[in-house]
Amino acid sequence: MSKVVLHIGTHKTATTTIQDTFHKNAGLLAEHGLVYPRLGNVTGHHGLVMDWGWLPEVYRLPSGSLGSLQQLNDMYSDQDVTLFLSSEEFSRGDPAALVDFQAVREALSGFDEIEVLCTLRIQWQFLQSVYLETSKIKNPPRPSEFARQAMKSGICDGLWVDYTRLLDHLEQSFSPDEITFLDYETCRSAKGGIIGAFLAHLSVPIEVEDLAPVNGGASNVSPLSLASFAANVLSEPHVAPGWLVTLTGDAIRNHYGQEIKPCVFSSEEYKRLETHFETLNESLGQRRNGHQASFSLTASAESRPDVFRNHLNWDFWLRAGRRLTSELAQLK
């Protein structure tokens, strides 16, 4: 039997860690029946999405997206292997970048089985991670605007936040039984973490310890959330430099404690996000009932924030300002 697994993200669910690790260990994985092809110049398979939206040229594959998918089909669909293709760009919700999954499916039609695999996070965590990722390339809108857009449209920065709509899109091309949603928190707490959860789901009979680690086992790690927010405020309208994020991070830890769990949303925005998406997530779980055993989105008590944006009081900003003044004086 041949099988192809489309790992479509979502963004900020350890996709880069999975891609880096599987790329590094492609030879060992192949020995156990899991093929992770090395395509192009990056570890993720983002070139397979280039046909449906703008992405950096470094991702482009010589045969294009559909041409490359067809080549992979011709190469592996008659073998007793599982082909694992991974790009979070498959899961974009921007109408201008929606992937034609029917065309993808047809290009991979030689496989005996196809599975769409997608990891989801509780929305406030997902939105916070998107805010932090956006902060690396531009000074983003304030977190309150992120929350407002997400609750109004179900999409933020071109990404699905209402996961029922993502499921609607997938079910236009795949049957419910061909779609698997994984809960991010459950995967994180699994034996071996995210990588261990994926190895188990894919029935690869090896342990995380058998794999050569990449970037200490965690790639593209986000900075302390409120540190990024504070640095963005101080840098507007420019991108906050890394040294400033480090400075504000030190100031926040010194002020609120070294082990804080911060949130870029205010405590009131956090409550509204939880309330708004709770019903949608319950609907998602009900739709998956019968196709996946007891799927639900969870948020562990350990991950709940204890310092919110509205807790950044005048005393903190005064301390941060003093540290910034001292840092700038040393640079002169």
Side-chain angles (χ1 to χ4, degrees):
M1 293 285 289
S2 62
K3 180 178 180 177
V4 58
V5 176
L6 290 177
H7 173 222
I8 67 169
T10 56
H11 292 72
K12 306 311 297 179
T13 57
T15 51
T16 304
T17 296
I18 294 166
Q19 291 156 8
D20 287 353
T21 303
F22 280 21
H23 185 273
K24 175 78 171 180
N25 294 275
L28 176 61
L29 294 171
E31 292 177 12
H32 295 278
L34 185 73
V35 175
Y36 188 84
R38 289 171 170 166
L39 306 177
N41 300 313
V42 295
T43 61
H45 300 139
H46 312 309
L48 299 178
V49 193
M50 287 285 289
D51 286 1
W52 297 283
W54 182 89
L55 288 171
E57 278 298 311
V58 67
Y59 297 150
R60 188 174 299 280
L61 299 173
S63 299
S65 300
L66 287 176
S68 298
L69 287 166
Q70 185 63 60
Q71 289 175 354
L72 291 167
N73 179 84
D74 295 343
M75 188 176 301
Y76 296 108
S77 64
D78 61 350
Q79 299 185 37
D80 184 19
V81 297
T82 295
L83 176 67
F84 188 82
L85 304 176
S86 177
S87 175
E88 58 271 33
E89 302 301 332
F90 275 113
S91 63
R92 283 198 175 272
D94 186 338
L98 280 178
V99 171
D100 183 351
F101 280 113
Q102 192 58 46
V104 171
R105 180 174 194 133
E106 290 173 4
L108 297 170
S109 60
F111 285 88
D112 297 310
E113 185 179 352
I114 189 168
E115 178 185 16
V116 177
L117 185 59
C118 185
T119 309
L120 302 175
R121 294 181 77 168
I122 286 292
Q123 281 84 356
W124 79 264
Q125 292 181 355
F126 179 65
L127 287 168
Q128 174 168 272
S129 291
V130 173
Y131 172 85
L132 296 176
E133 191 68 20
T134 303
S135 299
K136 296 177 182 178
I137 58 174
K138 65 180 181 181
N139 201 304
R142 294 292 176 92
S144 57
E145 180 62 15
F146 267 67
R148 187 192 69 81
Q149 289 180 9
M151 289 186 285
K152 179 181 179 180
S153 67
I155 292 179
C156 184
D157 205 30
L159 305 175
W160 301 112
V161 188
D162 177 354
Y163 302 137
T164 64
R165 294 178 60 189
L166 170 60
L167 182 58
D168 289 341
H169 179 53
L170 294 175
E171 287 185 344
Q172 293 177 18
S173 303
F174 305 97
S175 73
D177 289 329
E178 293 174 326
I179 300 168
T180 301
F181 283 158
L182 300 178
D183 173 55
Y184 178 73
E185 286 291 337
T186 301
C187 290
R188 282 187 64 194
S189 60
K191 180 183 178 183
I194 291 282
I195 297 297
F198 268 67
L199 291 175
H201 179 80
L202 296 165
S203 300
V204 180
I206 59 176
E207 303 293 332
V208 171
E209 292 75 19
D210 298 322
L211 301 174
V214 182
N215 298 321
S219 302
N220 196 24
V221 178
S222 298
L224 194 70
S225 60
L226 282 178
S228 184
F229 166 74
N232 286 336
V233 171
L234 294 171
S235 296
E236 285 181 335
H238 306 291
V239 176
W243 64 265
L244 183 56
V245 177
T246 299
L247 183 150
T248 54
D250 290 343
I252 287 172
R253 289 189 178 93
N254 290 336
H255 193 68
Y256 296 100
Q258 296 298 311
E259 303 301 324
I260 65 166
K261 293 173 285 189
C263 178
V264 296
F265 301 109
S266 70
S267 52
E268 184 58 34
E269 290 163 356
Y270 172 84
K271 292 177 183 177
R272 289 204 302 270
L273 285 167
E274 277 202 319
T275 301
H276 178 85
F277 286 107
E278 182 178 8
T279 301
L280 293 170
N281 293 343
E282 288 177 355
S283 175
L284 181 71
Q286 291 168 3
R287 288 176 62 178
R288 298 307 300 153
N289 185 29
H291 306 289
Q292 285 185 250
S294 64
F295 167 79
S296 64
L297 277 174
T298 62
S300 66
E302 290 77 16
S303 69
R304 288 189 175 274
D306 51 20
V307 178
F308 296 90
R309 191 180 76 246
N310 53 296
H311 291 159
L312 296 183
N313 54 26
W314 66 269
D315 189 37
F316 161 75
W317 288 108
L318 181 61
R319 290 170 182 265
R322 287 172 176 168
R323 289 177 63 91
L324 177 59
T325 301
S326 175
E327 185 75 18
L328 293 174
Q330 295 179 31
L331 293 175
K332 290 183 179 180

